[in-house]
Amino acid sequence: MNKVLTLIGSLIVAYSSWAANYETYVYNVCDTDTLRLDYYRADEENAPLMVFAFGSGFMAGERHCEHYDKLFNFLCDNGVSVATIDYRTVLLAGGQESIATVEGFCNALYKAIVVAVTDFASATAYLVENVKQLGFDPTKVFAAGSSAGAITALQTELSICNGELPGLTPDFNYAGVISMAGAVCALGEPEWETTPAPMLLFHGDADSNVPFNKICVGDIGLYGSEFISNQLTEVNAPHQIHIVRGATHNVCHIPCVDYQGEILDFIRAVSQGRFSRIVVIDDAAAIPQQYKTEFTVEDYIRSNME
C-alpha cells in the first residue's frame, strides 16, 4: 500500500512540475470552437513575449509537440515568455471535393489563412488586454510560427502593415516576426504599405510544401522567405534570413531544436534596439550532391496532402 501511495505521489509531483511550466487560458469562442492558449511565464518582469502558432497545413495540429516544447522551455528559462495558441484549421471545411482542383485548393488555402490570421490577432489582443496579469512587455511582442503557423504569423504582420486588422489597436505592431518555413499569401505580389517589423526567416531551398521563393496560380500567390527577404532588402528593412541549402520542409522544426540560440539572440537584439542590419546566413554545411529546388503547383499540393 505504501509503495502504491508513493508511486501515486510521485506521479502527482511529476505532473504538477510539468503543468507548472504554463497556464492555460480561453481567449475566444467561435461557434463550437473554444480557442485556448498556453502561457509560459518567464521569471523576469516585463519580459519579451513570443506568440507562437503551430504547423500542419491548416488541416490539423496542436499547441504542443516535442520540438515546440523544447523551444518554449528554452526561451522561458532565458527570460522570454511564450504564448502558444490554438487557431481554427479550416482548409478541409468544404470537404475533399472543394480542394479537388488546383483552383479549389488555392481558394480554400486563402480562406484558411484568413481564418488563422483572425484567430492569431484575437489571441494577441487577448494577451495585450491582460498584460498586467501576465506580466510581459507589450512593446516587445513577437509573432512566430512553424509552417502553416509561420504563414499565419507573417500574414498577420502583412495585414497590420496594410491596415487590415481593426481588432488590434491602431498603434500596435509586433516587435518582430520569427518564421520557420513560412510565406505570405497575396492576390498579386504582396505590398507592405508600412515597413514591417524586423524578421527572422528560416527556410530550406528544397522545400516542396511551402515555396522558398514563390508559386502562383492565377492572381493568388504564395511568396516564401527568399521573396520576402528580397522585398525587405529593397527598402532596407532590417531582417535576417537563414537559408538551409538542400533542406526540405523539415526546416519548420529544425530551428526549434538546433537554432534556439539564434532565435533568442534575435529577440534580445530587437528588444534592446540593437537589430538594425540585413543578415544572410547561407548554411551549406550539409548540401546533398543533387537536390531539387523547382516544384510545380501540383508538387506543392501533393506534398501538403501526404
Side-chain angles (χ1 to χ4, degrees), residues 62 66 74 79 83 90 94 115 138 201 212 214 234 275:
E62 55 186 359
E66 180 183 1
F74 171 80
V90 300
V115 170
L201 308 169
F212 176 57
K214 68 176 181 179
E234 286 181 5
F275 191 88

Side-chain angles (χ1 to χ4, degrees), residues 25-164:
Y25 300 89
V26 173
Y27 76 82
N28 203 3
V29 177
C30 300
D31 299 324
T32 59
D33 292 311
T34 300
L35 301 176
R36 297 177 173 85
L37 62 85
D38 295 328
Y39 186 74
Y40 294 69
R41 187 187 299 265
D43 288 338
E44 287 80 355
E45 287 295 322
N46 295 316
L49 171 67
M50 183 181 80
V51 185
F52 187 89
F54 59 81
S56 283
F58 299 101
M59 293 179 284
E62 55 186 359
R63 302 188 303 272
H64 294 285
C65 78
E66 180 183 1
H67 304 286
Y68 304 155
D69 288 344
K70 286 180 179 178
L71 176 61
F72 301 159
N73 285 313
F74 171 80
L75 291 176
C76 195
D77 289 344
N78 285 278
V80 178
S81 295
V82 177
T84 176
I85 72 160
D86 286 337
Y87 63 92
R88 289 169 291 168
T89 53
V90 300
L91 182 69
L92 298 178
Q96 288 286 345
E97 65 278 3
S98 67
I99 60 169
T101 64
V102 169
E103 291 76 13
F105 183 92
C106 292
N107 288 327
L109 176 62
Y110 184 81
K111 292 176 183 177
I113 293 171
V114 170
V115 170
V117 167
T118 300
D119 292 342
F120 196 88
S122 177
T124 302
Y126 173 89
L127 290 159
V128 172
E129 288 167 5
N130 291 278
V131 63
K132 290 184 179 179
Q133 176 187 352
L134 298 173
F136 62 89
D137 186 335
T139 68
K140 299 175 183 177
V141 180
F142 291 77
S146 165
S147 187
I151 293 172
T152 301
L154 286 166
Q155 195 79 25
T156 304
E157 176 63 11
L158 177 63
S159 299
I160 289 174
C161 289
N162 294 344
E164 298 169 353

